[in-house]
Amino acid sequence: MSVSQTQRVMTPVEVLGRKGGEPLVCLTAYTTPMARLMDGVVDIVLVGDSVGMVLHGLPSTLGVTLEMMIMHGRAVARGLSRSLLVIDMPFGSYEESPAQAFRNAARLISETGAAAVKLEGGVHMAETIAFLVARGIPVMGHVGLTPQAVNTLGGYKVQGRGSDGARIQADAEATAAAGAFSVVLEKVPASLADKISETIAIPTIGIGASVGCDGQVLVVDDMLGLFGDFLPKFVKRYAELGQTAREAIADYAAEVRGRAFPAAAHQFADSEKAAK
Ligand code: KIV
């Protein structure tokens, strides 16, 4: 049977329909093997611009290009047949005008197979979100801590504490009113995330926000212990794969130096018969 007969493919419309329902599960992925591991297990796979820091060693997401996103988007698409694929618009690819945003979002969609784009910013990006949605491009918003604005925000700080909460609430409301099918709330107080989740009509997807959000997202390398010695408060480590890899690499190095690898089982005999 074909994939479409046996497996349900998640869509932006279905994500929207999950408002107030079963929590949405979202993880980032940047490669085909990682996408295969999570396909159908999570609802949404995000090719985040965090790829720049996680896989390319960049100090922030600001150096990520459209070409990098397209390359990783294609790789992830090859590993997915069920989860919804959403791809980040990188810094500088959408802020100038709705027309610039459409041109680059169309490339991301048509060249990768992603079904939707994510972009950062609330009130000031509402016109652009509406422009894209009206032209057939589903948009996931992203408000609160918006890492592409790290230089104007003065660092990766919690956003929306105290009276500043009204600004984030307005950003989330503008994103919803513009037609986004969901919105990421990053690093905002839990009480604010709960209030936003109760008042806007689209699913909120929290990262460093609240268990009361309509869904959660994490950077997969963070939660697997593959990235970063410094663990942000909002990340839970579900595995320590980095430590496991370090130990395996050290074992390999020791065995090569001690001539214990390759063993007979990993070598070839002179004839196939002798090998049996
Ligand atoms: O780039 C990214 O990975 C993100 C998520 C953390 C939401 O934007």
Side-chain angles (χ1 to χ4, degrees), residues 175-223:
T175 301
F181 70 93
S182 57
V183 61
V184 169
L185 302 182
E186 180 164 353
K187 222 168 172 184
V188 298
S191 55
L192 176 63
D194 288 344
K195 188 170 158 229
I196 292 172
S197 299
E198 281 159 22
T199 52
I200 68 171
I202 62 173
T204 55
I205 300 177
I207 176 163
S210 165
V211 71
C213 289
D214 298 293
Q216 303 295 330
V217 60
L218 282 177
V219 169
V220 70
D221 296 65
D222 280 344
M223 58 88 80

Side-chain angles (χ1 to χ4, degrees), residues 3-178:
V3 165
S4 58
Q5 284 170 308
T6 58
Q7 297 166 327
R8 201 168 54 83
V9 180
M10 192 73 176
T11 67
V13 173
E14 282 180 272
V15 168
L16 184 57
R18 289 269 287 274
K19 176 70 190 174
E22 186 189 348
L24 289 155
V25 182
C26 180
L27 276 178
T28 65
Y30 320 111
T31 64
T32 308
M34 194 62 88
R36 286 199 176 119
L37 289 174
M38 61 181 76
D39 187 32
V41 180
V42 304
D43 299 303
I44 304 168
V45 176
L46 171 69
V47 185
D49 61 354
S50 50
V51 67
M53 300 170 79
V54 175
L55 290 197
H56 294 267
L58 294 173
S60 74
T61 57
L62 299 178
V64 176
T65 64
L66 201 66
E67 283 64 36
M68 286 164 74
M69 295 307 298
I70 289 171
M71 186 186 71
H72 288 285
R74 281 181 172 160
V76 170
R78 285 182 210 115
L80 297 183
S81 61
R82 289 172 283 173
S83 303
L84 172 67
L85 175 54
V86 179
I87 188 162
D88 256 341
M89 299 202 71
F91 178 65
S93 72
Y94 61 97
E95 300 90 333
E96 199 179 316
S97 67
Q100 182 215 22
F102 180 80
R103 196 164 50 249
N104 290 323
R107 276 197 66 193
L108 286 169
I109 297 280
S110 66
E111 294 182 34
T112 68
V117 299
K118 177 167 82 58
L119 57 82
E120 297 182 6
V123 170
H124 69 285
M125 290 312 300
E127 184 192 353
T128 294
I129 294 171
F131 191 89
L132 296 183
V133 174
R135 285 156 182 78
I137 298 183
V139 178
M140 177 183 280
H142 184 154
V143 305
L145 172 63
T146 47
Q148 292 174 9
V150 59
N151 290 324
T152 45
L153 294 176
Y156 298 98
K157 300 174 189 160
V158 175
Q159 299 293 307
R161 282 197 164 124
S163 59
D164 191 35
R167 176 176 64 89
I168 308 298
Q169 174 89 34
D171 280 339
E173 285 173 4
T175 301

Side-chain angles (χ1 to χ4, degrees), residues 195-262:
K195 188 170 158 229
I196 292 172
S197 299
E198 281 159 22
T199 52
I200 68 171
I202 62 173
T204 55
I205 300 177
I207 176 163
S210 165
V211 71
C213 289
D214 298 293
Q216 303 295 330
V217 60
L218 282 177
V219 169
V220 70
D221 296 65
D222 280 344
M223 58 88 80
L224 292 179
L226 282 168
F227 176 74
D229 297 328
F230 165 73
L231 193 63
K233 176 181 163 75
F234 58 79
V235 176
K236 179 175 173 182
R237 283 250 156 107
Y238 286 82
E240 292 293 348
L241 300 191
Q243 185 54 29
T244 303
R246 250 191 297 275
E247 286 166 13
I249 291 163
D251 286 350
Y252 166 71
E255 289 197 1
V256 169
R257 290 187 182 116
R259 296 201 183 279
F261 178 86

